[in-house]
Amino acid sequence: ERVMSPRLIIVLLALVGVALGALFWMRRDSVVAAARDPLRGVDYRSVRAIEWRAAGQSKWRLEKGAEGWQLSAPGHQGGARIRASSTRVQGIVGFLENARPMSHFMATPEDAAARGLGDGLLVIEDEAGVSEIEIGLPDIRDEVSYRGRGKPVVFVGDAKLAEFARIAPRDLRDPAVLAVSLASVGKLTMQPAKGEKTALERVGGRW
């Protein structure tokens, strides 16, 4: 019975290692190549809700209904739904629709955490379903990492994506207090939570 020499065993092990390494890199490259930008998986013509979550909690939510876009946020106006600024919503949708990644790569869990992924989550609902997109923190190159929730492939885009974390509910509400013409108003009454009521009345064209 012939016994393989130690040198031949070492050569065979080396060849097996090279083959496994090549297989790993081919699979890695195929995963990266097949990855789809999560922002491109949204039908922006049918978007009906946009929500920003941080640390697992909803910070604000925009929903499109029969009366236009409505805003709701915990702790803002008692959590009630109020009218949102259609101009601001259109700006957000337009930015997301036109955003394009500069690069993408396979990230380790440690690398993803270092880029701030896993905390901020942008949720977009359209007629086809729900897209959940993790958005990280901007780096010194004014770039930000993002990915489909829990996906291994990370995309690198414009740092403006990170501005979702800085949007406050008051920035999204409709600035118009009342949809009426001031010329048609004859009397205004203001009642603060504490203090006396104040009334203004128009008489002869003057207040």
Side-chain angles (χ1 to χ4, degrees), residues 84-96:
S85 168
S86 58
T87 301
R88 189 66 192 273
V89 176
Q90 289 169 6
I92 290 174
V93 173
F95 170 74
L96 293 172

Side-chain angles (χ1 to χ4, degrees), residues 98-136:
N98 293 304
R100 294 293 185 273
M102 293 177 279
S103 62
H104 61 284
F105 62 95
M106 195 88 157
T108 64
E110 293 77 16
D111 191 24
R115 292 170 176 267
L117 293 167
D119 180 45
L121 186 69
L122 181 66
V123 182
I124 308 174
E125 298 178 21
D126 60 18
E127 288 184 354
V130 179
S131 298
E132 296 183 326
I133 304 167
E134 297 177 21
I135 298 179

Side-chain angles (χ1 to χ4, degrees), residues 16-84:
V16 171
V18 170
L20 290 175
L23 182 63
F24 169 79
W25 282 104
M26 288 174 61
R27 181 180 180 277
R28 176 184 181 275
D29 291 343
S30 66
V31 170
V32 172
R36 185 179 186 186
D37 179 358
L39 291 176
R40 305 277 62 80
V42 178
D43 178 10
Y44 290 97
R45 294 171 298 179
S46 67
V47 169
R48 56 193 182 195
I50 304 172
E51 183 178 6
W52 176 253
R53 300 175 188 168
Q57 301 294 320
S58 176
K59 297 303 179 181
W60 50 261
R61 179 178 175 84
L62 296 163
E63 290 186 65
K64 189 176 185 180
E67 298 180 357
W69 286 95
Q70 301 289 312
L71 165 70
S72 62
H76 185 73
Q77 299 290 317
R81 288 160 59 98
I82 59 176
R83 190 166 60 186

